[in-house]
Amino acid sequence: MASSGEEIRNYRVKKLELLKKAGVDPYPAKLPFAVSEIVFVKKNFKKLASAKKALGVAGRILAKREHGGSMFLDIFDGSAKIQLFLSKDKIGSDSYNLFSEAADIGDFIAVYGKPFFTKRAEPTIEISRWEM
């Protein structure tokens, strides 16, 4: 019987192979967009949201909540936590499904998208692009 460490490793290797098969570099040397610290984004969120310009953030996934063709995530970069929103309509079914299958709590991701407030006034970034 495999130890839990081996099972976890095998599970993670399968996720790695899934990303590589889809043509995603799981360990990019650099990002195609600039990232800001989440604490800066949250501090200036009203101004950033009203400007309606996309921005980048990166961090570790703390929570992942899927709802049909969309999901909410919480990420933390060491300075603060922020909510992200991902939808099939925005990034396409293939990209959405790959993210859904490959991204787990604890993974590091970088995302690019427009800031907005949810109906509950939660500062959120609507993802238009993601990187692992």
Side-chain angles (χ1 to χ4, degrees), residues 28 34 37 71 91 98 112 114 118 130:
E37 281 191 337
M71 75 176 75
I91 66 166
L98 179 62
Y112 185 76
K114 291 185 180 177
T118 64
W130 61 272

Side-chain angles (χ1 to χ4, degrees), residues 61 64 71 73 86 95-103 109 130:
I61 300 173
K64 181 178 169 185
M71 75 176 75
L73 302 114
L86 183 69
S95 184
Y96 178 89
N97 292 335
L98 179 62
F99 186 89
S100 179
E101 290 178 45
I109 60 168
W130 61 272

